[in-house]
Amino acid sequence: NDKLAGEDNLIIHKGFEIEIHFNTPVKRLDWFFSSYFDINMEFLNKSVVPAIMKFVNTKGVTAVKNGMVATIPVIITGSIFLILAQLPVESWAAAVANSGLGDIFFKAYNATFSVDAVVAVLGITYEYCVAEKVEPFGGAIIGMACFLLLQPDTIAAADGSMVGGINRTWTGGQGMVGSIIIGLVVGFVYSWFI
């Protein structure tokens, strides 16, 4: 496994190449790196990795991981429409602008990217309830309702007046942290009550 390169001043140790530019005996450095890496890998494998894996396998982290997967189809769909709207080919850009398809493509892009946080809270709450072995659909609906309940219910109109509605800013990417928190809290409380 270990090779000494001799005059090339190069040590190859288990896939690492270390070049030596001074007159130190090569065997001494090889012993140092061999024992140093073996000791540190042993320490990492025995104490650090189990602690990290214990955290990663908690119900909350697993619910966030699996619940965020639900947003991928929405993101891919929106990305396709964004690419179609702004493809950097002059003939395509001119055809899209002249036909009016650009507005349709941007509307589809905005519609999909504006609901990312809503889809995330649905997925996270659903996956948390699955991990707790309770009926997940009701928990996901309650999670979405709680998320929407916490959104501002008025929007500033162009003339400055306030009108009723849900601001799509916080139901998209900017509301993702809130959707994670709400999804976990609602999933925990729902599972506790059920």
Coordinates of all heavy atoms in Angstrom, one line a residue, residues 3 18 20-21 30-31 38 62 66 98 100 131 139 149 169 171 182 184-185:
K3 N 4.1 3.4 -0.6 CA 5.3 3.4 -1.5 C 6.1 4.6 -1.2 O 5.6 5.7 -0.9 CB 4.8 3.5 -3.0 CG 4.0 2.3 -3.4 CD 3.6 2.5 -4.9 CE 2.7 1.3 -5.3 NZ 2.2 1.6 -6.7
I18 N 2.2 13.5 -1.2 CA 2.8 14.6 -0.5 C 4.2 14.8 -1.0 O 5.0 13.9 -1.0 CB 2.8 14.2 1.0 CG1 1.4 13.9 1.5 CG2 3.5 15.3 1.8 CD1 1.4 13.1 2.8
I20 N 7.8 16.4 -0.8 CA 8.8 16.9 0.2 C 9.8 17.7 -0.4 O 10.5 17.3 -1.4 CB 9.4 15.7 1.0 CG1 8.4 14.7 1.4 CG2 10.3 16.2 2.1 CD1 7.4 15.2 2.4
H21 N 10.1 19.0 0.1 CA 11.1 19.9 -0.5 C 12.2 20.1 0.4 O 12.9 21.1 0.3 CB 10.4 21.2 -0.9 CG 9.4 21.1 -2.0 ND1 9.8 20.9 -3.3 CD2 8.1 21.1 -2.0 CE1 8.7 20.9 -4.1 NE2 7.7 20.9 -3.3
D30 N 6.9 9.2 6.5 CA 5.9 8.2 6.1 C 5.3 7.6 7.4 O 4.1 7.5 7.5 CB 6.5 7.1 5.3 CG 5.4 6.1 4.9 OD1 4.4 6.6 4.4 OD2 5.7 4.9 5.0
W31 N 6.1 7.3 8.4 CA 5.6 6.8 9.7 C 4.7 7.8 10.3 O 3.6 7.5 10.9 CB 6.7 6.5 10.6 CG 6.2 6.1 12.0 CD1 5.8 4.9 12.4 CD2 6.1 7.0 13.1 NE1 5.4 5.0 13.7 CE2 5.5 6.3 14.2 CE3 6.4 8.4 13.3 CZ2 5.3 6.9 15.4 CZ3 6.1 8.9 14.5 CH2 5.5 8.2 15.5
D38 N -4.2 7.4 10.7 CA -4.9 6.2 11.3 C -5.5 6.6 12.6 O -6.6 6.2 12.9 CB -3.9 5.1 11.5 CG -3.5 4.4 10.2 OD1 -4.2 4.7 9.2 OD2 -2.5 3.7 10.1
T62 N -35.0 13.8 9.7 CA -35.5 12.9 8.6 C -36.8 13.5 7.9 O -37.0 13.4 6.7 CB -35.8 11.5 9.2 OG1 -34.7 11.1 9.8 CG2 -36.3 10.6 8.1
N66 N -36.9 14.4 4.0 CA -37.9 13.7 3.1 C -39.0 14.7 2.7 O -39.5 14.6 1.6 CB -38.5 12.5 3.8 CG -37.5 11.4 4.1 OD1 -36.4 11.4 3.5 ND2 -37.8 10.5 5.0
N98 N -42.5 37.9 -29.6 CA -43.5 38.2 -30.6 C -44.8 37.4 -30.4 O -45.9 37.9 -30.7 CB -43.0 38.0 -32.0 CG -41.8 39.0 -32.3 OD1 -41.8 40.1 -31.7 ND2 -41.0 38.6 -33.2
G100 N -46.1 36.3 -27.5 CA -46.7 36.5 -26.2 C -46.6 35.3 -25.3 O -47.2 35.3 -24.2
A131 N -43.3 9.3 10.3 CA -42.3 8.8 11.3 C -42.9 8.5 12.6 O -42.4 7.6 13.3 CB -41.2 9.9 11.4
G139 N -52.6 15.7 9.4 CA -51.5 16.5 9.9 C -50.9 17.5 8.9 O -50.6 18.7 9.2
L149 N -52.2 30.6 8.0 CA -52.8 31.4 9.1 C -51.8 32.5 9.6 O -52.1 33.6 9.9 CB -53.2 30.6 10.3 CG -53.8 31.3 11.5 CD1 -55.2 31.8 11.2 CD2 -53.9 30.3 12.7
T169 N -44.9 36.4 -1.5 CA -43.5 36.5 -1.2 C -43.2 35.5 -0.1 O -42.1 34.8 -0.2 CB -43.2 37.9 -0.6 OG1 -43.5 38.9 -1.6 CG2 -41.7 38.0 -0.3
T171 N -44.9 32.7 0.7 CA -45.3 31.4 0.4 C -44.3 30.7 -0.5 O -44.4 29.5 -0.8 CB -46.7 31.3 -0.2 OG1 -46.7 32.1 -1.4 CG2 -47.7 31.8 0.7
I182 N -42.7 25.5 11.2 CA -44.1 25.2 11.3 C -44.4 23.7 11.1 O -45.2 23.1 11.8 CB -45.0 26.1 10.5 CG1 -44.9 27.6 11.0 CG2 -46.5 25.7 10.4 CD1 -45.4 28.6 10.0
L184 N -42.4 21.2 11.5 CA -42.0 20.3 12.6 C -42.8 20.5 13.8 O -43.2 19.5 14.5 CB -40.5 20.7 12.9 CG -39.5 20.2 11.9 CD1 -38.1 20.8 12.3 CD2 -39.5 18.7 11.7
V185 N -43.2 21.7 14.1 CA -44.0 22.0 15.3 C -45.4 21.4 15.2 O -45.9 20.7 16.1 CB -44.1 23.5 15.7 CG1 -45.1 23.8 16.7 CG2 -42.7 24.0 16.1

